[in-house]
Amino acid sequence: MSDGASDKTSLTFSSKVRLPRLSVDQYVQGVRENNRTILAQAITLVESNSPFHMEMAQEVIKKLLAHTGNAIRIGITGVPGVGKSTFIEAFGTMLCEKGHRVAVLAVDPSSTVTRGSILGDKTRMELLSRNPHAFIRPSATGGTLGGVNRKTRETMLICEAAGYDVILIETVGVGQSETTVRSMVDFFLLLMLTGAGDELQGIKKGVIEIADALLINKADGENRTRALIAKGEYNRALHYLQPATVGWETKAYMCSALTGEGIEEIWNVVNVFREKTTQTGGFEARRSAQSLDWMYSMANDYLRTMFFSHPQIALLLPQMEGAVTSGQLSPTSAVQQLVTIFESAISKKE
Amino acid sequence: MSDGASDKTSLTFSSKVRLPRLSVDQYVQGVRENNRTILAQAITLVESNSPFHMEMAQEVIKKLLAHTGNAIRIGITGVPGVGKSTFIEAFGTMLCEKGHRVAVLAVDPSSTVTRGSILGDKTRMELLSRNPHAFIRPSATGGTLGGVNRKTRETMLICEAAGYDVILIETVGVGQSETTVRSMVDFFLLLMLTGAGDELQGIKKGVIEIADALLINKADGENRTRALIAKGEYNRALHYLQPATVGWETKAYMCSALTGEGIEEIWNVVNVFREKTTQTGGFEARRSAQSLDWMYSMANDYLRTMFFSHPQIALLLPQMEGAVTSGQLSPTSAVQQLVTIFESAISKKE
């Protein structure tokens, strides 16, 4: 990047995202050396919504791509109060002790609006955040879930290029965030509490079906017996569902971040999963499919924005919606009218 | 429609879809009078892919819209061999005897390719097809599931305008057809067989979750005891899933088209469902949401076709896909390139 380009940045965007004037190669080198300051700045670059930063971020990612993909990507979800932070703290610390390097990311669409619950990651995971082998990044904010989706995926790639070999992506489960996280990870873990029937009320439809393991947390003290019963109940229920991953049986496990029970076991489960699906080719097939799906999903986002943000469409849409829901207009006619307007508008553009 | 326009049709499309030269008003009147010949022709008009027919069909639907929406729309699915035809024959005949007028439609995306299994509806449901209060229409063929979707929805509207007050939409469950049918009906019925665990293998992921009732068919003779056991097992499994319809508990029932047991009961279930959801407002809310979703889904289909069928995009896409799946190109970069090409192409159009 030329100085001129950097000047442009500092003039136009410095008030929004503060970044040093590093070149693409400086970012790439810093990330590859796991320079934590530059790593954090590279992620800030990826998270920036400025067109200049976005373009530079793509240059950086392009050069890092060859060094990505070597981590195991694990998604973690569960209702608030299930103990995600304490689990990740215990799980991540155990992994660091085993010699792994662990990056913790978060997908939290709520944080855009509420400055939400995962923003304070570093204080929630005090022990892990001080561990030199762990890297915790609060969730990206700003924009739609689509934007958060892109930022998290690219942050994951950057962490992989920096040598982190276990990526944990946490979500609070707002909106479509579980599906979003599932679409970017190899293994999806659903944390649960005891008392199957009731607790399930808080778990959204379809979330159990996309999980590779159910993990009953807080299985300690008096709760342990109840956790055992819940585990059996969940396993019976899982018998009726098709597994999230072909060739893998989703089962229920239990753990306690307090006593440490089950923390290593779930890591073993992840490893067996990785081995099995690597042998069948399912592991790589899923990743290829995820990349393609993501490409198509971004293209569709672009198309929808182009169409529905078009001034003439945006102006007409509310009354079209009204006419369709009240049964005065067939959806087919509505779309025909919108398309006619759109096509005449873009053909007049030049 | 002027004679000139009709001439254009017969010249351009007569070899493909044969239709008499009726005016929009003649179609509307014929449908409203339940003239079965004109009703069938109006549906053929809706199913035609010719632009002229499509435009005329929209005129017809527009004039019929005020007379639609009074039927209960029931989707029926189940794996091949579960006995959908015999169930629909028994269920439809019972409804006709009660004074209802029953239209049977089908969504079968496979029939496009294989001249598939639902094409022979009339011979499969011999008794019902001869009943003057029933109208059976083989599944629409030609084109994508999106096309079949539109055709079936509009055929349903035409049948409602002709006075049919129960619409049964059957699907063989190929591809995404269950979700498609769910998106156009009020009540979704999943036919099953005894022997829960094993039979479930044939039922696609997520289908149980969108059903408002599970109906174990062929619960007769020696099978009756096994059906009772299966019913209990399904009900326990359903306890772990959130119901497809807010405020409604999805349960398992059993029936036999042979003995007639349970056929009236499932109609009672549908009626209780309709009453309950009408009281809560959920019935109308779902229909409004369905119309809007359909509008947006058609708009998205249009946008995807416009983009991905664009010659320059279509030419480049295979190598983009290859680069993305092999990890040489990030999905974001790929989309950026495609969008740049597309925008420059449409701005040069004039």
Side-chain angles (χ1 to χ4, degrees):
Chain A
M1 290 290 130
S2 71
D3 280 337
S6 289
D7 278 335
K8 193 183 149 204
T9 326
S10 55
L11 278 170
T12 323
F13 307 106
S14 63
S15 65
K16 227 182 157 187
V17 178
R18 271 170 212 188
L19 278 171
R21 301 190 188 181
L22 295 181
S23 69
V24 168
D25 285 338
Q26 282 172 318
Y27 276 120
V28 170
Q29 200 190 335
V31 168
R32 290 288 295 141
E33 287 167 355
N34 192 21
N35 174 325
R36 292 170 73 106
T37 308
I38 295 182
L39 173 62
Q41 285 162 350
I43 295 172
T44 304
L45 187 74
V46 157
E47 289 176 353
S48 166
N49 291 320
S50 99
F52 174 77
H53 285 161
M54 285 173 83
E55 196 182 307
M56 196 171 184
Q58 286 309 310
E59 290 295 313
V60 173
I61 287 166
K62 198 173 168 181
K63 295 205 169 182
L64 290 174
L65 264 185
H67 307 288
T68 65
N70 299 317
I72 178 92
R73 303 161 179 176
I74 303 173
I76 298 170
T77 194
V79 297
V82 76
K84 284 188 295 295
S85 317
T86 43
F87 169 75
I88 292 173
E89 170 114 327
F91 190 60
T93 304
M94 178 271 295
L95 289 170
C96 290
E97 282 165 8
K98 282 186 182 293
H100 292 286
R101 293 175 56 206
V102 180
V104 182
L105 314 177
V107 168
D108 179 7
S110 72
S111 64
T112 319
V113 186
T114 61
R115 301 269 130 205
S117 45
I118 309 195
L119 271 177
D121 280 325
K122 291 200 185 181
T123 48
R124 288 188 302 132
M125 301 170 196
E126 230 182 307
L127 203 67
L128 193 62
S129 67
R130 285 198 305 263
N131 194 310
H133 300 297
F135 179 80
I136 301 180
R137 179 75 182 192
S139 66
T141 57
T144 57
L145 183 57
V148 173
N149 187 344
R150 178 187 65 75
K151 292 167 189 177
T152 310
R153 285 179 191 256
E154 294 182 345
T155 298
M156 177 170 79
L157 295 179
I158 288 174
C159 290
E160 287 180 347
Y164 292 92
D165 66 333
V166 181
I167 314 284
L168 305 178
I169 305 183
E170 177 190 2
T171 180
V172 282
V174 173
Q176 295 294 307
S177 64
E178 293 102 337
T179 319
T180 300
V181 172
R182 166 80 271 184
S183 74
M184 59 178 83
V185 299
D186 307 312
F187 188 93
F188 195 60
L189 182 62
L190 173 59
L191 292 189
M192 305 188 88
L193 293 170
T194 55
D198 300 326
E199 255 64 42
L200 269 170
Q201 305 305 316
I203 294 166
K204 274 183 296 182
K205 206 152 106 181
V207 172
I208 290 183
E209 288 84 343
I210 60 173
D212 293 309
L214 270 53
L215 186 57
I216 302 161
N217 200 10
K218 304 185 183 176
D220 40 47
E222 289 177 4
N223 222 12
R224 205 177 171 280
T225 316
R226 279 195 284 160
L228 263 170
I229 296 168
K231 185 179 141 182
E233 283 182 21
Y234 284 131
N235 276 330
R236 269 192 298 280
L238 285 165
H239 175 71
Y240 289 92
L241 301 173
Q242 291 202 12
T245 302
V246 179
W248 175 255
E249 198 182 344
T250 300
K251 285 188 192 166
Y253 306 87
M254 50 191 236
C255 79
S256 163
L258 200 68
T259 67
E261 185 185 342
I263 301 288
E264 278 213 44
E265 190 198 355
I266 198 71
W267 177 239
N268 293 337
V269 169
V270 171
N271 283 322
V272 172
F273 173 92
R274 189 180 193 169
E275 265 171 47
K276 275 204 173 183
T277 55
T278 302
Q279 275 165 18
T280 59
F283 191 88
E284 270 312 312
R286 170 177 267 154
R287 284 204 172 173
S288 292
Q290 285 176 338
S291 294
L292 274 192
D293 286 350
W294 179 25
M295 182 181 98
Y296 281 104
S297 135
M298 276 188 290
N300 287 333
D301 281 352
Y302 156 76
L303 290 168
R304 272 196 294 271
T305 306
M306 178 185 67
F307 187 81
F308 291 109
S309 306
H310 194 283
Q312 286 173 264
I313 301 290
L315 193 71
L316 212 68
L317 203 58
Q319 75 192 68
M320 286 284 184
E321 285 197 345
V324 165
T325 50
S326 68
Q328 293 167 280
L329 185 68
S330 86
T332 307
S333 289
V335 172
Q336 281 174 347
Q337 289 180 41
L338 292 172
V339 163
T340 305
I341 290 161
F342 179 74
E343 290 192 335
S344 117
I346 61 170
S347 74
K348 280 182 197 136
K349 215 167 77 172
E350 288 294 277
Chain B
M1 290 288 131
S2 69
D3 278 338
S6 289
D7 278 333
K8 191 183 149 204
T9 326
S10 57
L11 278 169
T12 323
F13 306 108
S14 64
S15 64
K16 228 181 157 190
V17 178
R18 272 172 212 185
L19 279 171
R21 301 189 188 180
L22 294 181
S23 69
V24 167
D25 285 337
Q26 282 172 318
Y27 276 118
V28 170
Q29 200 190 333
V31 168
R32 290 288 294 141
E33 287 168 356
N34 191 23
N35 175 326
R36 293 169 72 106
T37 308
I38 296 182
L39 173 61
Q41 285 162 350
I43 296 172
T44 303
L45 186 75
V46 156
E47 288 176 354
S48 167
N49 290 321
S50 99
F52 174 77
H53 285 161
M54 285 173 83
E55 196 182 306
M56 196 170 182
Q58 287 310 310
E59 290 296 312
V60 172
I61 287 165
K62 197 173 169 184
K63 295 205 169 182
L64 289 174
L65 264 185
H67 307 288
T68 66
N70 298 317
I72 178 91
R73 301 162 179 174
I74 303 173
I76 299 169
T77 193
V79 296
V82 76
K84 285 189 293 297
S85 318
T86 44
F87 169 75
I88 292 173
E89 170 114 326
F91 190 60
T93 303
M94 178 271 295
L95 289 171
C96 291
E97 281 165 9
K98 282 187 182 293
H100 292 287
R101 293 176 56 205
V102 181
V104 182
L105 315 177
V107 169
D108 179 8
S110 73
S111 64
T112 319
V113 185
T114 60
R115 300 270 130 203
S117 45
I118 311 196
L119 272 177
D121 280 325
K122 291 200 185 180
T123 49
R124 288 189 303 131
M125 301 169 195
E126 230 183 305
L127 204 65
L128 193 62
S129 67
R130 285 198 306 263
N131 194 310
H133 301 296
F135 179 80
I136 301 180
R137 179 75 181 193
S139 67
T141 57
T144 57
L145 184 56
V148 173
N149 187 342
R150 178 186 66 74
K151 292 168 190 177
T152 310
R153 285 179 192 257
E154 295 182 344
T155 298
M156 176 171 78
L157 296 178
I158 289 174
C159 290
E160 288 180 346
Y164 293 92
D165 66 332
V166 181
I167 313 283
L168 305 178
I169 305 184
E170 177 190 1
T171 181
V172 282
V174 173
Q176 296 293 308
S177 64
E178 293 101 337
T179 320
T180 301
V181 171
R182 166 80 273 183
S183 74
M184 59 177 84
V185 298
D186 307 310
F187 188 93
F188 195 60
L189 182 62
L190 173 58
L191 291 189
M192 305 188 87
L193 292 170
T194 55
D198 299 325
E199 254 65 41
L200 269 171
Q201 306 304 316
I203 293 167
K204 276 184 295 183
K205 207 151 106 182
V207 172
I208 289 182
E209 288 83 342
I210 59 172
D212 293 308
L214 270 51
L215 185 58
I216 302 160
N217 199 10
K218 303 185 184 177
D220 40 48
E222 290 176 4
N223 221 10
R224 204 176 172 282
T225 316
R226 280 195 282 158
L228 264 169
I229 295 166
K231 186 179 138 181
E233 283 182 20
Y234 284 131
N235 276 330
R236 271 191 297 280
L238 286 166
H239 175 71
Y240 290 92
L241 301 173
Q242 292 201 12
T245 302
V246 179
W248 174 255
E249 199 183 342
T250 299
K251 285 188 191 166
Y253 306 86
M254 49 191 234
C255 79
S256 162
L258 199 69
T259 67
E261 184 185 343
I263 302 288
E264 277 214 43
E265 189 197 353
I266 198 72
W267 176 239
N268 292 338
V269 169
V270 171
N271 283 322
V272 172
F273 172 92
R274 188 181 193 168
E275 267 171 46
K276 275 203 174 182
T277 55
T278 302
Q279 275 167 18
T280 60
F283 191 87
E284 269 312 311
R286 170 178 267 154
R287 284 204 173 173
S288 291
Q290 284 177 338
S291 294
L292 274 192
D293 287 350
W294 180 24
M295 183 180 97
Y296 280 104
S297 134
M298 274 189 290
N300 287 332
D301 280 351
Y302 156 77
L303 290 168
R304 272 197 295 271
T305 306
M306 179 184 67
F307 187 82
F308 292 109
S309 304
H310 193 283
Q312 284 174 267
I313 301 290
L315 193 71
L316 213 69
L317 202 57
Q319 75 192 68
M320 287 285 185
E321 285 197 346
V324 165
T325 49
S326 68
Q328 293 166 282
L329 185 67
S330 85
T332 307
S333 290
V335 172
Q336 281 174 348
Q337 289 180 42
L338 292 173
V339 164
T340 305
I341 290 160
F342 179 74
E343 290 190 335
S344 117
I346 60 169
S347 74
K348 280 180 197 142
K349 217 167 75 171
E350 288 294 279

